[in-house]
């Protein structure tokens, strides 16, 4: 364990960005991603963060929901591992703050802006090995923005490769901190802005109370275990799926890939797979396999995966 916390842990992210005294850090970070018309001066945390019962019972995400005085909503999602239907879930989550704006009685349906910011420790588009920031909006057939109040901003941090010497903008510095904070031994000269001085003070593990240090260690272990399992499973699953796909066709290859990934994850989580479960996997179509894959990382018992 290093000197500073890993911001991709649930505990680390909430410690730095999810506490009331540290809202200035979140505002500084978000403003590097937002257009001039939606720069944030102040914000308040949502009364409902839509979290699980405990820090470790969610699968690789911490969702932070906040709102500005003008009514704009910001959903900040930290995600450490690739999941099925990632884009679908982003749209689903974004629908909640939209629906919350509904008013009883006479209402003209005017909505405030909703932003979803996804901080990703994986590449969600395999065809894209270069872009760090992906900005997505609804557009028409002429590639013109149809609706500018719903925006998705995804940060693909594995694509960020700048060194300390190459950090010239505040946005670059924030991306570097997300990627490398836990690897540093001191505050670099290039990060001497007040906002980073405060962040490094908050993130220094030696200043943690014993219970916070223990909670962080548990969160860090969860992050490392999850990343190891998912990275290994998806790499091996993709390799097998590609080989099968060449021989038997793309659809069957995807099905074999999903089955291989599911079996590996089940063994990592629960040990030997019962014969009944193996039979169910062999007989399942791709849609069913993807449903089980979505459950396997959060299920506490094997039966919950196949419920």
């Amino acid at each position: 364990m290093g000197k500073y916390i890993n911001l991709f842990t649930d505990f680390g992210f909430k410690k730095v960005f999810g506490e009331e005294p540290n809202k200035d850090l979140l505002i500084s970070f978000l403003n590097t991603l937002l257009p001039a018309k939606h720069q944030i001066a102040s914000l308040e945390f949502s009364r409902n963060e839509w979290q699980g019962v405990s820090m470790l019972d969610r699968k690789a995400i911490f969702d932070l929901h906040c709102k500005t005085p003008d009514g704009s909503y910001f959903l900040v999602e930290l995600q450490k591992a690739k999941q099925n239907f990632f884009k679908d879930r982003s749209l689903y989550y974004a629908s909640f703050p939209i629906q919350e704006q509904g008013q009883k009685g006479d209402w003209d349906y005017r909505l405030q802006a909703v932003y979803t910011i996804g901080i990703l420790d994986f590449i969600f588009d395999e065809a894209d090995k270069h872009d760090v920031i992906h900005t997505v909006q609804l557009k028409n057939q002429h590639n013109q923005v149809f609706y500018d109040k719903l925006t998705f901003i995804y940060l693909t941090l594995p694509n960020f490769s700048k060194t300390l010497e190459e950090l010239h903008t505040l946005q670059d510095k924030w991306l570097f901190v997300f990627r490398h904070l836990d690897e540093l031994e001191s505050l670099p000269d290039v990060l001497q802005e007040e906002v980073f001085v405060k962040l490094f003070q908050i993130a220094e593990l030696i200043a943690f109370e014993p219970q916070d240090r223990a909670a962080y260690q548990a969160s860090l272990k969860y992050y490392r275990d999850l990343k190891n399992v998912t990275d290994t499973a998806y790499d091996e699953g993709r390799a097998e799926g590609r080989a099968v796909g060449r021989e038997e066709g793309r659809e069957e290859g995807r099905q074999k890939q999903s089955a291989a990934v599911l079996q590996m994850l089940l063994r990592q989580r629960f040990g030997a797979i019962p014969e009944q479960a193996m039979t169910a996997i062999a007989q399942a179509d791709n849609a069913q396999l993807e449903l089980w894959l979505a459950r396997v990382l959060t299920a506490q018992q094997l039966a919950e995966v196949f419920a």
Side-chain angles (χ1 to χ4, degrees):
M1 189 165 60
K3 182 177 181 180
Y4 299 104
I5 58 177
N6 185 323
L7 288 177
F8 269 101
T9 60
D10 288 345
F11 183 92
F13 185 78
K14 185 174 182 179
K15 183 72 174 178
V16 172
F17 296 105
E19 296 184 353
E20 194 71 22
N22 305 334
K23 289 195 297 188
D24 55 327
L25 302 183
L26 179 62
I27 291 171
S28 172
F29 166 62
L30 292 179
N31 279 340
T32 68
L33 305 172
L34 301 174
K37 64 180 179 180
H38 282 147
Q39 289 290 290
I40 302 171
S42 64
L43 57 77
E44 61 182 21
F45 293 117
S46 170
R47 64 184 182 278
N48 179 8
E49 294 179 351
W50 306 330
Q51 300 178 55
V53 175
S54 69
M55 182 178 299
L56 298 182
D57 66 359
R58 300 184 303 279
K59 60 174 179 184
I61 64 170
F62 173 78
D63 285 336
L64 181 63
H65 301 165
C66 47
K67 187 177 179 181
T68 58
D70 70 355
S72 298
Y73 288 79
F74 296 87
L75 285 65
V76 186
E77 177 179 312
L78 184 75
Q79 187 159 347
K80 301 180 278 292
K82 184 175 294 187
Q83 299 179 19
N84 290 303
F85 309 114
F86 166 72
K87 297 176 184 177
D88 302 66
R89 195 189 63 211
S90 291
L91 288 167
Y92 177 70
Y93 282 1
S95 71
F96 282 93
I98 293 174
Q99 295 177 58
E100 284 183 1
Q101 297 182 54
Q103 301 176 16
K104 294 181 179 180
D106 293 334
W107 178 44
D108 61 6
Y109 290 94
R110 181 179 180 181
L111 298 172
Q112 298 297 328
V114 173
Y115 280 87
T116 293
I117 292 90
I119 307 167
L120 314 181
D121 197 16
F122 63 89
I123 299 173
F124 75 93
D125 185 349
E126 295 296 341
D128 180 10
K129 303 295 185 181
H130 304 289
D131 289 338
V132 177
I133 300 177
H134 307 256
T135 302
V136 181
Q137 289 182 312
L138 294 174
K139 294 185 178 182
N140 63 19
Q141 69 271 27
H142 303 296
N143 204 34
Q144 299 169 332
V145 175
F146 169 74
Y147 187 73
D148 66 354
K149 293 182 181 179
L150 179 62
T151 306
F152 300 86
I153 302 174
Y154 301 112
L155 309 181
T156 310
L157 287 183
N159 284 346
F160 183 80
S161 58
K162 290 187 177 181
T163 64
L164 282 169
E165 293 72 23
E166 298 172 310
L167 305 181
H168 302 299
T169 67
L170 187 60
Q171 182 183 90
D172 284 345
K173 294 174 183 180
W174 270 115
L175 296 176
F176 181 90
V177 165
F178 262 103
R179 187 87 192 271
H180 299 293
L181 176 62
D182 64 321
E183 303 168 6
L184 300 174
E185 291 299 325
S186 62
L187 177 66
D189 292 340
V190 73
L191 299 177
Q192 291 295 329
E193 288 95 336
E194 182 178 347
V195 67
F196 295 117
V197 172
K198 179 176 179 179
L199 184 152
F200 273 70
Q201 291 174 346
I202 296 168
E204 191 169 8
L205 289 168
I206 196 172
F208 281 22
E209 295 293 334
Q211 63 270 22
D212 284 347
R213 193 176 297 115
Y216 171 69
Q217 288 175 336
S219 188
L220 181 63
K221 182 180 185 302
Y222 179 78
Y223 164 68
R224 288 172 173 170
D225 289 349
L226 176 67
K227 187 169 179 60
N228 179 63
V229 169
T230 53
D231 286 353
T232 301
Y234 275 102
D235 286 345
E236 295 191 8
R238 279 199 303 268
E240 180 174 336
R242 285 194 297 268
V244 173
R246 286 193 294 269
E247 296 174 3
E248 302 177 24
R250 181 176 297 177
E251 183 59 31
E252 186 172 353
R254 281 200 297 265
Q255 188 168 336
K256 296 275 188 167
Q257 172 185 336
S258 297
V261 171
L262 178 60
Q263 290 173 36
M264 177 171 289
L265 289 174
L266 288 172
R267 292 190 184 97
Q268 290 277 357
R269 291 295 313 280
F270 307 110
I273 305 174
E275 183 178 349
Q276 184 178 3
M278 290 295 293
T279 300
I281 293 171
Q283 295 175 347
D285 59 22
N286 204 49
Q288 182 65 69
L289 291 169
E290 290 184 347
L291 175 62
W292 291 337
L293 279 166
R295 295 174 178 170
V296 68
L297 293 178
T298 54
Q300 300 301 310
Q301 300 178 3
L302 179 66
E304 295 177 17
V305 177
F306 299 96

